[in-house]
Amino acid sequence: MFFVKQPNHFYSLFPVCFFLFLLLSANLLYYKHSKHKYLSVIFNLRPVRALIFISAVFVGAMASSSMEGFESYLKVFSAFASVFFAWEFSVVINDICDQEIDKITNKTRPLPLGILSVKEYAWIAAVYAFFALSFAFIVNAPVFLIAIVWVILGIAYSVHPFRLRKNILGNILIGVALASSFTAGFLSLGDPADLFGRTNLTFFIVLLVFGAAITLTKDLKDIRGDTAQEVKNIYLVYGRKKGKKIVIVLLFVSLVFPAALIRDIVQLCVMVIFAGLTCFCYYRKEDERMVYVMAALEGAYLFILLYLL
């Protein structure tokens, strides 16, 4: 067996190990520099939302039907890392631009607490962007291009003069980001020409609608801060009570919408029940985290329905 030529994974493994080494080194150095600042950054990662985007990458990779062999796992891992750091880049940029809002509605974040300065946080955003682009570069050119688009969208969402967060375009942008995560996962392994098959396009559209509608739920807690900064979220435009009803309708439609694409009466009934429970819970609890979890569960169900059955 020693004379049988084995696959040479060195050239695919080395860049991944190199950037993981850089990442580990950066973490250790920053922890040594200031444990307090380091932990404040870690606690601000918002892992639940990050997991939704990473899950979309996984679904895209599985949809490519090409997840075989050591190198494919390295590519998918790198796509995971790229999307994770692109998301965290967007989070930090948004925190920098929303620090006046966060002083009112999110007082435990690093900037309102005064743990980090804007300059320090901007450097952290730059590090996130570096790793997002670096891990994407390892995968292939299409995924690298998606990572560039992610970084641009993160800036357009929060930074003046674009500041798309100030209106409904910001929610649509998040839907685009979620759908592009699926695309990154697919293109990390699959042929770009296969991306436009009916099943893949269905899932892409579903994620686009999901991402845009579900993020409306988080705007409820930001009413006071958004009022001070003249951000026109849906609750400020229509009032809290009416805005909440509009969001629930949009949320219901987005969760039932996949059944219209699948064209199955049984799945329609299942999704109507699922959407009804989600909307009822949100109406009573006003907790967007529960909506994210329920949407992730429906996403998993759809993946099984479209690709595994």
Side-chain angles (χ1 to χ4, degrees):
M1 65 178 289
F2 294 103
F3 296 98
V4 177
K5 187 176 180 180
Q6 300 296 322
N8 186 355
H9 301 303
F10 175 79
Y11 293 107
S12 54
L13 182 60
F14 176 76
V16 176
C17 290
F18 174 73
F19 286 116
L20 284 176
F21 172 76
L22 283 183
L23 179 61
L24 178 61
S25 300
N27 276 269
L28 290 174
L29 287 171
Y30 196 47
Y31 181 84
K32 187 176 181 181
H33 169 70
S34 175
K35 179 181 177 180
H36 187 46
K37 291 181 179 181
Y38 175 82
L39 292 177
S40 73
V41 173
I42 295 299
F43 291 141
N44 196 48
L45 290 178
R46 298 169 215 178
V48 174
R49 297 182 200 176
L51 184 60
I52 291 174
F53 288 96
I54 292 173
S55 299
V57 176
F58 175 75
V59 171
M62 292 292 290
S64 71
S65 302
S66 303
M67 230 171 138
E68 297 177 359
F70 182 74
E71 189 170 349
S72 68
Y73 289 107
L74 284 177
K75 285 186 175 182
V76 173
F77 171 79
S78 298
F80 282 171
S82 177
V83 167
F84 172 78
F85 284 112
W87 161 251
E88 297 302 338
F89 167 80
S90 302
V91 166
V92 172
I93 291 295
N94 186 63
D95 283 358
I96 291 172
C97 296
D98 279 2
Q99 53 185 311
E100 295 302 320
I101 294 175
D102 289 342
K103 286 178 182 177
I104 300 172
T105 57
N106 297 293
K107 298 178 182 180
T108 59
R109 291 178 180 172
L111 289 178
L113 287 175
I115 298 172
L116 294 168
S117 68
V118 172
K119 185 177 180 180
E120 288 174 313
Y121 221 28
W123 273 108
I124 290 171
V127 170
Y128 285 155
F130 169 77
F131 281 111
L133 295 174
S134 297
F135 278 108
F137 185 78
I138 293 172
V139 183
N140 54 37
V143 175
F144 182 64
L145 181 61
I146 290 173
I148 293 174
V149 171
W150 253 87
V151 171
I152 293 172
L153 291 180
I155 294 170
Y157 179 83
S158 300
V159 178
H160 292 285
F162 312 104
R163 189 74 166 151
L164 298 181
R165 181 202 182 291
K166 293 185 72 172
N167 51 57
I168 194 67
L169 284 176
N171 300 96
I172 295 173
L173 219 59
I174 294 174
V176 171
L178 184 59
S180 68
S181 299
F182 168 81
T183 306
F186 187 93
L187 294 179
S188 66
L189 300 175
D191 186 336
D194 295 335
L195 181 63
F196 301 100
R198 180 183 172 185
T199 303
N200 294 331
L201 283 177
T202 298
F203 210 85
F204 181 92
I205 295 170
V206 166
L207 289 176
L208 180 64
V209 175
F210 268 11
I214 291 168
T215 53
L216 288 169
T217 60
K218 76 177 182 63
D219 292 336
L220 185 58
K221 67 180 177 60
D222 291 334
I223 287 179
R224 287 175 57 217
D226 286 351
T227 300
Q229 294 298 309
E230 298 181 352
V231 174
K232 296 179 181 178
N233 75 41
I234 199 164
Y235 303 98
L236 292 177
V237 173
Y238 295 100
R240 182 187 180 98
K241 189 174 181 180
K242 187 175 180 181
K244 190 175 174 181
K245 290 179 180 178
I246 292 172
V247 168
I248 286 173
V249 170
L250 292 174
L251 184 61
F252 183 86
V253 171
S254 72
L255 292 171
V256 174
F257 172 71
L261 297 177
I262 297 171
R263 300 177 184 176
D264 186 303
I265 189 65
V266 174
Q267 303 310 325
L268 175 63
C269 293
V270 170
M271 290 176 191
V272 165
I273 294 170
F274 193 91
L277 286 172
T278 303
C279 293
F280 176 76
C281 291
Y282 177 69
Y283 186 80
R284 295 294 299 272
K285 299 292 185 181
E286 296 185 355
D287 186 353
E288 78 272 11
R289 291 172 298 182
M290 178 274 303
V291 176
Y292 293 144
V293 170
M294 297 291 277
L297 289 174
E298 180 166 331
Y301 175 74
L302 278 172
F303 171 72
I304 293 170
L305 195 66
L306 290 171
Y307 293 106
L308 301 183
L309 296 182

